[in-house]
């Protein structure tokens, strides 16, 4: 009874329209005067009546509902369920051609805010948009890392109006880490006729041209340009290089006086230009967030010396934090873990006067490194319980209540918290020691807290990689830094302020598996 009443759009105790039509005036008045009953009890009563046999009252069927009510019901169902409904009967199939249903599914499932009624001019229905564009290419929506050797990248595929567009996100020009991200379209997919969706390559400077998108396997797809002549410029490779340099670095080669930096820039142009006709992409997820994280995890842009700005993913893993490169360079490629932060070992920086002395900072950090080494040996000999006990004897363990709330990002880094982030306090003065170089001198002069960490360094071609000690400096919710002790350099990181749809990991396990996968490609 209750189920029937809901489908008919009447109150829970009114009965269906069909039964009301069979009642006389007296019966109807008596029924209307009945008090409302519990819906669960009515559901039980309806089930019992159905089992009673031929004498039970006739049930109301979906087929008997008016078309306008069926449209409302079908429009509230997931679009993937509607094709099955169309196979039930001719009436359902006819109703499912109503554009109101598909217009709502396009809006609620894919965020299409355009006035879809305009499609009527082109002869394309909302059902076509849903089935041939949005649903067909739903697997490529989200964040991706292109396979461009050590350089990597960040691609965001989104529904933009009546298009699906792949935007390549680029860091701001070096060394302005606080500037917003730049982005340019690599491809777009749209539906201009009822037959099928059209894929267009947006690379180059001569407008959209014919392209192709292929889903290779789960969480991997590829793009191909069928008209690479559109990528060429009339001035040849020199003009293409000058144009690329202005876009990538915001300057000319003559403005870059450092010879080694010129070589790195030219090398990147030659390497990446080989991928202008075909690219493969691997899915990446944003790191999951927990209430006890030091700061909110996510994507950060940071300074990497002569390599310019790169994108790093900060994620938390228990008592450690990691910074994984989304973009990379010939020394430390994309996918590698550039920094690791030990959240069990806070570092108390020297006072502002002593902090100018690099040797004093080095002494403090190396003492902590020795302590970490002893704890690791103890853990190997006696198990994790002994190692944890030794950690608690540390002069500045993470278990102590922090004097100031804060966190620090790393040189391509990541940071994780063992305690909830503190939101009050002025922090302590911070200044780089004399002799430590920084691409960006506009770093904060106050920090919240510091942790011991290690940074990954290697020779060209990722040769002889090793982890070296450093200091993770937390400035605020959106900025952190990493002091590379051996390199005597400082990297400043700033949060990528962008909202990404379809980028959350389905589970923590899926995120961990994704990190392993992107690292394995460049190991």
């Amino acid at each position: 009874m209750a189920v029937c009443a809901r489908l008919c759009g009447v109150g829970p105790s009114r009965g269906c329209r069909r039964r009301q039509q069979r009642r006389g005036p007296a019966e109807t008045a008596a029924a209307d005067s009945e008090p409302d009953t519990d819906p669960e009890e009515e559901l039980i009563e309806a089930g019992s009546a159905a089992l009673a046999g031929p004498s039970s009252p006739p049930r109301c069927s979906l087929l008997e509902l008016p078309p306008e009510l069926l449209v409302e019901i079908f429009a509230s169902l997931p679009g993937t369920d509607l094709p099955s409904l169309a196979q039930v009967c001719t009436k359902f199939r006819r109703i499912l051609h109503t554009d109101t249903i598909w217009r709502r599914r396009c809006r609620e499932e894919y965020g299409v805010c355009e006035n879809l009624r305009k499609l009527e001019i082109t002869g394309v229905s909302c059902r076509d948009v849903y089935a041939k564009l949005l649903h067909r290419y739903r697997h490529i929506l989200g964040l991706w890392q292109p396979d461009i050797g050590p350089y990597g990248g960040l691609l965001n595929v989104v529904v933009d109006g009546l298009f699906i567009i792949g935007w390549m996100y680029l860091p701001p020009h070096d060394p302005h880490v606080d500037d917003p991200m730049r982005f340019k379209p690599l491809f777009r997919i749209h539906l201009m006729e009822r037959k099928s969706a059209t894929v267009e390559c947006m690379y180059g400077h001569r407008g959209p041209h014919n392209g192709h998108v292929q889903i290779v396997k789960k969480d991997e797809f590829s793009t191909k340009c069928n008209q690479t002549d559109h990528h060429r410029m009339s001035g040849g490779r020199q003009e293409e290089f000058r144009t690329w340099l202005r876009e990538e670095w915001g300057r000319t080669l003559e403005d870059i006086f450092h010879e080694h930096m010129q070589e790195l820039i030219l090398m990147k142009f030659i390497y990446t230009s080989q991928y202008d006709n075909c690219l493969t992409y691997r899915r990446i997820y944003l790191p999951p967030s927990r209430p006890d994280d030091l700061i909110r995890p996510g994507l950060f842009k940071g300074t990497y010396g002569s390599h310019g700005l790169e994108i790093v993913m900060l994620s938390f893993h228990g008592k450690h934090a990691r910074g994984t490169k989304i973009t990379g360079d010939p020394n430390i490629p994309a996918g590698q873990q550039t920094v690791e932060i030990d959240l069990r070992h806070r570092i108390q920086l020297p006072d502002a006067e002593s902090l100018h002395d690099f040797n004093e900072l080095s002494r403090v950090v190396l003492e902590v490194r020795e302590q970490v080494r002893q704890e690791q040996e103890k853990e190997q000999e006696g198990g994790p319980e002994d190692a944890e006990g030794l950690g608690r004897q540390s002069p500045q363990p993470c278990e102590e209540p922090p004097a100031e709330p804060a966190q620090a990002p790393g040189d391509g880094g990541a940071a994780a918290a063992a305690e909830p982030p503190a939101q009050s306090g002025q922090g302590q003065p911070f200044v780089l020691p004399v002799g430590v170089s920084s691409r960006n001198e506009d770093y904060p002069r106050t920090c919240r807290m510091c942790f011991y960490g290690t940074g990954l360094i290697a020779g060209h071609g990722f040769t002889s990689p090793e982890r070296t000690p450093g200091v993770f400096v937390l400035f605020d919710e959106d900025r952190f830094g990493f002091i590379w002790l051996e390199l005597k350099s400082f990297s400043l990181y700033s949060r990528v302020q962008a909202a990404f749809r379809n980028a959350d990991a389905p589970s923590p396990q899926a995120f961990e598996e994704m990190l392993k996968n992107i690292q394995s490609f460049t190991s």
Side-chain angles (χ1 to χ4, degrees):
M1 175 77 73
V3 175
C4 178
R6 292 191 191 100
L7 291 176
C8 292
V10 298
S13 64
R14 306 291 190 217
C16 70
R17 292 171 183 154
R18 186 172 180 178
R19 293 182 61 194
Q20 286 180 348
Q21 291 172 357
R22 296 182 178 181
R23 289 173 176 164
E27 292 175 308
T28 302
D32 288 344
S33 64
E34 291 177 1
D36 289 347
T37 57
D38 184 71
E40 293 186 3
E41 294 178 0
E42 284 202 345
L43 186 60
I44 295 173
E45 292 173 3
S48 302
L51 297 174
S55 60
S56 60
R59 294 179 299 173
C60 182
S61 168
L62 275 175
L63 290 171
E64 299 176 14
L65 295 179
E68 59 272 16
L69 187 54
L70 288 175
V71 167
E72 184 64 26
I73 294 173
F74 293 170
S76 64
L77 298 175
T80 51
D81 292 345
L82 299 183
S84 300
L85 273 177
Q87 299 177 7
V88 173
C89 62
T90 303
K91 179 178 180 180
F92 283 8
R93 185 161 56 250
R94 184 174 63 252
I95 291 176
L96 284 170
H97 277 84
T98 306
D99 242 20
T100 303
I101 298 173
W102 300 100
R103 188 180 301 117
R104 181 170 167 183
R105 299 324 313 149
C106 289
R107 183 179 66 252
E108 294 185 0
E109 294 182 26
Y110 296 99
V112 178
C113 299
E114 295 285 318
N115 184 0
L116 296 180
R117 297 181 187 277
K118 297 177 182 178
L119 291 173
E120 299 174 0
I121 303 174
T122 62
V124 178
S125 66
C126 295
R127 184 185 185 190
D128 291 330
V129 172
Y130 186 96
K132 299 180 180 180
L133 178 66
L134 302 177
H135 181 72
R136 178 181 177 184
Y137 290 99
R138 68 192 183 282
H139 295 301
I140 71 171
L141 298 177
L143 290 178
W144 303 83
Q145 185 184 54
D147 184 11
I148 313 180
Y151 298 103
L154 180 65
L155 181 80
N156 186 26
V157 183
V158 299
V159 176
D160 190 345
L162 298 178
F163 294 85
I164 290 178
I165 303 181
W167 295 98
M168 182 69 84
Y169 274 66
L170 306 171
H173 293 141
D174 178 59
H176 308 293
V177 293
D178 287 328
D179 286 356
M181 295 283 284
R182 300 173 295 124
F183 43 89
K184 63 179 182 180
L186 289 193
F187 64 86
R188 70 180 185 183
I189 312 172
H190 58 106
L191 196 68
M192 298 305 294
E193 55 184 25
R194 300 193 62 173
K195 293 181 181 179
S196 61
T198 300
V199 179
E200 294 178 325
C201 175
M202 305 293 287
Y203 192 91
H205 301 270
R206 297 171 59 182
H209 46 283
N210 188 25
H212 178 69
V213 168
Q214 179 181 2
I215 298 177
V216 180
K217 57 182 179 181
K218 186 179 183 297
D219 294 333
E220 185 173 321
F221 78 98
S222 64
T223 58
K224 182 179 180 181
C225 176
N226 299 327
Q227 294 176 283
T228 53
D229 56 300
H230 280 65
H231 304 173
R232 307 281 74 88
M233 303 185 75
S234 57
R237 296 289 279 174
Q238 288 188 348
E239 183 182 359
E240 292 171 13
F241 175 63
R242 286 194 297 268
T243 303
W244 175 86
L245 189 58
R246 286 194 301 270
E247 294 177 349
E248 187 84 5
W249 291 83
R251 64 186 83 174
T252 65
L253 197 62
E254 291 73 20
D255 297 329
I256 303 172
F257 302 106
H258 198 292
E259 184 177 348
H260 178 58
M261 194 172 183
Q262 290 181 350
E263 293 175 355
L264 291 173
I265 291 173
L266 185 59
M267 182 189 309
K268 184 175 183 179
F269 170 73
I270 294 174
Y271 193 98
T272 57
S273 60
Q274 302 173 21
Y275 291 84
D276 66 346
N277 64 331
C278 186
L279 268 176
T280 300
Y281 303 86
R282 295 181 294 271
R283 183 180 293 281
I284 58 176
Y285 297 116
L286 293 178
S289 177
R290 293 177 293 271
D292 60 347
D293 289 339
L294 193 60
I295 60 172
R296 180 167 53 92
L299 299 174
F300 290 79
K301 38 203 158 70
T303 55
Y304 275 84
S306 299
H307 296 294
L309 298 190
E310 298 183 13
I311 303 173
V312 169
M313 177 182 289
L314 177 66
S315 56
F316 296 94
H317 310 264
K319 295 181 179 179
H320 292 83
R322 299 173 187 166
T324 303
K325 282 195 170 187
I326 302 302
T327 63
D329 53 66
N331 290 76
I332 306 298
Q336 292 298 314
Q337 183 182 314
T338 178
V339 296
E340 181 172 359
I341 315 305
D342 190 335
L343 298 170
R344 299 169 299 180
H345 293 88
R346 290 275 300 275
I347 288 181
Q348 182 63 42
L349 295 178
D351 57 66
E353 185 67 25
S354 302
L355 189 55
H356 283 88
D357 186 354
F358 177 79
N359 293 329
E360 178 64 17
L361 176 65
S362 180
R363 180 191 64 80
V364 172
V365 176
L366 293 180
E367 284 181 358
V368 178
R369 183 181 68 169
E370 177 61 21
Q371 179 185 337
V372 171
R373 186 189 64 80
Q374 293 178 9
E375 291 176 6
Q376 290 174 344
E377 290 180 354
K378 190 72 172 179
E379 183 177 357
Q380 293 173 357
E381 294 174 2
E385 294 82 2
D386 292 340
E388 290 179 3
L390 182 58
R392 284 192 291 270
Q393 297 169 9
S394 145
Q396 293 156 352
C398 193
E399 286 81 355
E400 292 181 3
E404 267 89 39
Q407 163 192 7
D411 163 292
E419 298 180 1
Q423 301 297 332
S424 61
Q426 298 301 316
Q428 67 179 99
F430 176 80
V431 63
L432 287 177
V434 175
V436 175
S437 62
S438 175
R439 294 287 297 176
N440 192 322
E441 295 293 337
D442 189 24
Y443 59 85
R445 264 40 180 192
T446 302
C447 70
R448 292 182 179 176
M449 60 177 70
C450 300
F451 292 91
Y452 172 78
T454 58
L456 184 62
I457 63 174
H460 187 84
F462 197 39
T463 56
S464 305
E466 62 173 319
R467 296 212 157 269
T468 60
V471 182
F472 174 81
V473 187
L474 177 63
F475 294 115
D476 52 44
E477 176 67 20
D478 296 322
R479 288 178 298 179
F480 62 82
F482 193 84
I483 300 176
W484 305 76
L485 217 60
E486 184 167 327
L487 302 178
K488 286 190 175 182
S489 68
F490 173 73
S491 293
L492 178 64
Y493 295 83
S494 179
R495 185 182 299 277
V496 174
Q497 301 287 358
F500 297 105
R501 295 190 62 181
N502 306 295
D504 294 330
S507 67
Q509 294 75 19
F511 176 77
E512 294 289 346
E513 188 65 28
M514 179 273 298
L515 286 183
K516 293 178 183 178
N517 289 339
I518 64 174
Q519 185 175 2
S520 66
F521 283 99
T522 55
S523 296

